[in-house]
Amino acid sequence: MTITPSIKSLQGKDLLSVADLSIEELRAILEVTHMFKLRYYSGERIIPILKGKTLAMIFQKPSTRTRVSFEVVMWQLGGYALYLSWKELQLGRGEPISDTARVLSRYVDGILARVSSHKDLVELAKYADVPVINGLSDLEHPVQAISDMYTILEKKGRLKGLKLSFLGDGRDNVLHSLLLAAAKLGINISIGTAKGYEPLPEIMKIAEEEAAKTGALIEIVYDPYDAIKGADVVYTDVWVSMGQEAEREKRIKDLKPFQVNAELMKYAKRDAIFMHCLPAKRGEEVTNEVIEGPWSIVWDQAENRLHTQKAILALIMS
Ligand code: CP
Ligand code: NVA
């Protein structure tokens, strides 16, 4: 099956950051996602365009959504996925990433990796001869953010000109990827966070360059009410990401004013949607009332990981 000839540029490409994608590539992923979702709901679950292909999935951190959705997608595309725990590979005993990358490249057709340090992912991609996909690092979570763009488009019918308000940790990996995707697609993004939790300057710089091309507005505000005012989409993520457990108390104290609760949601648009990449910590970044309330679309959001990743794998690996 050929998907569409206009997006051949994704074939064999690494996906470490949303910044790696051109606007055409990003739009192509969203279009192909829609096609796969329609086919899924018309009963066509198995589309074997990756027949005979194998994806190695290296996980240095826990995962529910990323692991399960990628594994299911590989199966539905006719391929095979291997779950590999970092600590159970020889990597865990100190085998260099560069050696692991070269060996795995002789066995598999693609590598998905969830790592503690983004530098390790860059090293993996440098030495691998097969495409490497970021399944979350300390810096970014591109497959999540791309899927979220699809979900926003599906729910709101457009992207350009919407206001996305992210409340919480402004240095969060998911937020970094959302910021880049929003800037590329012309979504205005308002980040409500505490002093010292602003996005990393290297991400802000790229996002601002992209925003200058699309006219997207990016603002960092320290007042949660200003941040959420008039939002079409309200997004949050955990205050304590995997690996930040030692900073737990301080983070909770610093980020407390940015909790998404029903009172704060009153300041968003009346038809605003609430999004969260999950897993969520109810009572911290979001109240139970909001995540279980009428604004919340988090289950549809989680489902869309399946359809988007099907598009990503099909475009990169077929
Ligand atoms: N949102 C997300 O990536 O979830 P997992 O950590 O469960 O994969
Ligand atoms: N920021 C979170 C995202 C989990 C999907 C973390 O890194 O733990």
Side-chain angles (χ1 to χ4, degrees), residues 16-79:
L16 305 191
S17 163
V18 172
D20 295 341
L21 298 172
S22 68
I23 180 67
E24 291 76 24
E25 289 169 342
L26 194 48
R27 286 190 186 284
I29 294 172
L30 302 184
E31 271 170 38
V32 175
T33 299
H34 191 58
M35 185 269 294
F36 274 125
K37 187 163 183 179
L38 290 176
R39 289 177 74 166
Y40 185 86
Y41 276 99
S42 67
E44 215 182 344
R45 294 200 169 186
I46 313 290
I47 303 173
I49 51 174
L50 296 186
K51 193 160 185 270
K53 302 244 168 130
T54 305
L55 178 73
M57 309 196 302
I58 304 176
F59 281 85
Q60 199 176 14
K61 291 174 172 182
S63 170
T64 298
R65 281 142 289 266
T66 307
R67 175 185 174 176
V68 176
S69 55
F70 268 105
E71 190 164 333
V72 168
V73 163
M74 274 309 282
W75 187 80
Q76 291 180 348
L77 293 178

Side-chain angles (χ1 to χ4, degrees), residues 216-289:
L217 304 171
I218 301 175
E219 59 170 8
I220 299 173
V221 287
Y222 301 102
D223 178 326
Y225 294 93
D226 279 351
I228 204 169
K229 206 168 155 205
D232 297 284
V233 180
V234 178
Y235 201 118
T236 190
D237 188 13
V238 287
W239 293 339
V240 185
S241 282
M242 292 179 276
Q244 297 175 333
E245 290 76 12
E247 301 164 30
R248 184 171 174 79
E249 256 176 68
K250 179 171 165 39
R251 290 181 151 268
I252 289 174
K253 187 167 150 279
D254 294 346
L255 296 170
K256 210 174 170 57
F258 300 92
Q259 181 191 66
V260 180
N261 51 44
E263 174 56 25
L264 198 59
M265 283 302 291
K266 284 186 194 156
Y267 293 79
K269 283 208 180 121
R270 273 154 79 101
D271 63 351
I273 52 171
F274 171 77
M275 298 178 73
H276 193 308
C277 59
L278 305 176
K281 197 90 174 149
R282 288 165 171 79
E284 290 188 11
E285 76 276 4
V286 61
T287 57
N288 192 57
E289 192 182 1

Side-chain angles (χ1 to χ4, degrees), residues 174-209:
V174 174
L175 185 258
H176 279 161
S177 293
L178 285 172
L179 181 53
L180 294 169
K184 272 182 192 283
L185 292 163
I187 299 177
N188 302 318
I189 183 160
S190 179
I191 301 160
T193 194
K195 291 241 160 74
Y197 291 83
E198 298 84 359
L200 283 178
E202 63 259 38
I203 298 284
M204 272 304 276
K205 184 172 175 291
I206 306 171
E208 274 166 355
E209 285 165 9

